[in-house]
Amino acid sequence: MSDGIAGENGAAAVDGENASEPGEGTQQHGPEQDPPAQPEHGPEQEPTAQPEPAPERVPVLRRLLRSRTVRAVTAAGLAGALLGAGAVAWRTDTLPLVGPAPCWDSLGDSTMSDLFGDRRTEVEEQTLQADPRGRGDAYGQCRITSYKDDRARRQVTLRVHQLDGLRGTDGREWPREFIAAGMVSLGDGLPGLASSSRAWLALPQSCTGRDEFTGPTVVDIAMGPAGLDLSSEYDREDRAALTRAVVEAANGVIRDFGCSGTYRIPRTLPALVEWRDTDGDAFCGTRGLGLPKAYRKDLDRMRVGGEGGPARVCEAGDAYSPAVRLTTVTDPALTEIFSSGMLRTGLSVEGSKGSGSIDGSRAVYRASCQTGPVVFVVEQLDRTEHAASGLARELLPGYVAAEAERIGCGPEKVTLPGE
């Protein structure tokens, strides 16, 4: 399994606790934030290309407390609160030091400190298990809330679930939050993205399996409103903390599922995604993609995120209310979440190497490339002075053609309905 993680995702499977903190340094938080404290840094270590042969030996009591049944009973007894089947809740000041860490025995002390500082926290954790409704796409979640006195200050929610492509339940809302222009690649071959409010990481398919029309099984983490931008020092710290948390949680889930191997916490993350002036002759930074002159005033600002990761995303318009989003999804498993929407709704779109659909303000096109399926999505998020609707239809052919060339999948020509 360790070899599977390294092979599938290009990320070495090593002990994440020994990796240094992601991000580009830490800053002091203001009084109204929920400031993460400075992490404890270990000595620098060079990344390795091979997985560790075996996990470290865990003390007998800690191994016992990692048991799903014993953990639920122990936590419930200590906190006096059993919330329901497979769910426990406790306060951090009630558990002994030998007890399990929050969220499937995964989040270390430094990560909790980065996220919540020294505030009191309460944890609500579900035991990981198959969806009782029989759909098989949800496994559980863990919610942590920090308090100052009796006032809740910060809340983080971790979920473990398989992304759906058959029913279309994950084709719109999940990408809106977790495949956004403000996110960056985790690097080192890790299949995920991160921002200062959201992060996600796909689990190895050799551990979880995957059926047709289903996306990867992911661990995602949410903190506050999606896309909330503060100042750069806050964003940098929060993004680093969420990255560390989602990697640690993924490693905890891998262990809980009975698989071996761990993901490595990235040493650094790309620079924060910034808004910049639009180049109308290379829209979204893509050579050969021209923006019609009628829209250049409306879409004069843009930002591009996810470079080098499972999806590249461009948003253009106003920084407070982008008018259009263009997404190129190159991860084959992730493309499946758009299957239902493309096949069941809208007018058909044909192309030289693929097909798609246009449904009002959203166009989705799927092409067959040398590396596997690639999905191109154009969404009009808001009306502009020159386009109340129809922007997706106008931009799709040029976007697909230019992006296909950029990623080495061209030439690709799209034929719109009625043409």
Side-chain angles (χ1 to χ4, degrees):
M1 165 59 203
S2 296
D3 293 335
I5 295 179
E8 284 178 34
N9 302 313
V14 298
D15 184 359
E17 285 292 332
N18 292 331
S20 59
E21 172 66 16
E24 302 140 326
T26 58
Q27 302 289 334
Q28 187 73 24
H29 275 241
E32 287 305 311
Q33 297 294 320
D34 185 27
Q38 291 283 354
E40 297 179 4
H41 290 275
E44 288 283 328
Q45 296 189 16
E46 292 298 322
T48 60
Q50 298 297 326
E52 284 201 356
E56 295 181 1
R57 183 173 298 277
V58 182
V60 174
L61 180 56
R62 191 168 180 82
R63 288 204 308 271
L64 179 64
L65 287 171
R66 278 179 174 171
S67 162
R68 297 182 183 179
T69 303
V70 173
R71 180 169 57 192
V73 172
T74 303
L78 290 168
L82 180 59
L83 300 183
V88 297
W90 64 85
R91 295 186 179 187
T92 51
D93 55 5
T94 64
L95 282 177
L97 294 178
V98 296
C103 302
W104 314 293
D105 199 15
S106 64
L107 301 187
D109 291 342
S110 61
T111 298
M112 291 292 289
S113 180
D114 289 347
L115 288 170
F116 305 108
D118 59 359
R119 301 194 193 282
R120 173 176 64 86
T121 58
E122 294 184 1
V123 182
E124 301 165 80
E125 177 182 325
Q126 290 179 321
T127 299
L128 297 175
Q129 58 187 352
D131 186 348
R133 297 171 297 177
R135 292 183 175 180
D137 54 4
Y139 294 96
Q141 73 174 28
C142 177
R143 185 171 64 185
I144 310 172
T145 308
S146 67
Y147 293 86
K148 181 179 180 181
D149 299 324
D150 291 328
R151 180 185 176 191
R153 294 301 304 269
R154 170 171 281 189
Q155 188 173 85
V156 166
T157 302
L158 281 150
R159 298 181 302 170
V160 183
H161 57 120
Q162 186 173 55
L163 296 175
D164 164 60
L166 181 62
R167 300 180 300 274
T169 56
D170 290 319
R172 290 182 180 264
E173 292 302 322
W174 193 85
R176 190 171 300 164
E177 290 193 40
F178 291 96
I179 309 179
M183 309 189 80
V184 298
S185 167
L186 298 180
D188 294 330
L190 291 173
L193 299 170
S195 70
S196 59
S197 63
R198 298 291 186 273
W200 64 273
L201 181 58
L203 299 175
Q205 292 179 38
S206 56
C207 177
T208 63
R210 186 171 71 86
D211 297 326
E212 189 177 8
F213 295 115
T214 59
T217 298
V218 300
V219 178
D220 60 39
I221 184 169
M223 181 173 68
L228 176 63
D229 295 321
L230 300 173
S231 64
S232 59
E233 62 266 26
Y234 296 158
D235 287 345
R236 191 176 294 110
E237 289 180 3
D238 288 343
R239 188 183 66 170
L242 290 181
T243 297
R244 187 181 185 99
V246 79
V247 174
E248 287 184 348
N251 289 335
V253 174
I254 290 171
R255 182 180 62 242
D256 201 288
F257 281 0
C259 302
S260 60
T262 56
Y263 283 128
R264 175 178 56 205
I265 297 173
R267 293 180 179 274
T268 60
L269 292 172
L272 296 172
V273 180
E274 302 285 350
W275 287 89
R276 62 180 187 268
D277 291 339
T278 295
D279 182 348
D281 296 323
F283 187 45
C284 290
T286 302
R287 181 181 302 176
L289 178 57
L291 180 64
K293 292 184 178 180
Y295 304 125
R296 295 191 179 189
K297 182 179 178 181
D298 299 325
L299 308 177
D300 62 338
R301 299 283 288 172
M302 52 159 280
R303 63 176 180 172
V304 179
E307 297 273 13
R312 180 181 188 267
V313 190
C314 171
E315 291 177 349
D318 187 285
Y320 297 101
S321 180
V324 65
R325 178 186 295 125
L326 300 92
T327 305
T328 302
V329 182
T330 53
D331 182 273
L334 194 59
T335 63
E336 292 294 342
I337 68 175
F338 300 96
S339 298
S340 178
M342 185 181 69
L343 296 174
R344 296 179 179 178
T345 61
L347 300 175
S348 296
V349 173
E350 299 299 327
S352 52
K353 297 179 183 176
S355 60
S357 67
I358 294 180
D359 180 15
S361 60
R362 189 172 190 254
V364 182
Y365 183 84
R366 178 186 176 108
S368 297
C369 299
Q370 298 89 327
T371 57
V374 175
V375 164
F376 307 90
V377 185
V378 180
E379 301 170 277
Q380 183 170 349
L381 308 176
D382 197 2
R383 62 186 303 164
T384 68
E385 181 180 349
H386 297 90
S389 62
L391 195 55
R393 178 187 176 98
E394 186 156 355
L395 293 178
L396 180 67
Y399 178 65
V400 171
E403 277 289 278
E405 287 291 341
R406 183 185 67 83
I407 64 176
C409 185
E412 186 75 13
K413 182 178 180 180
V414 170
T415 303
L416 296 172
E419 291 186 352

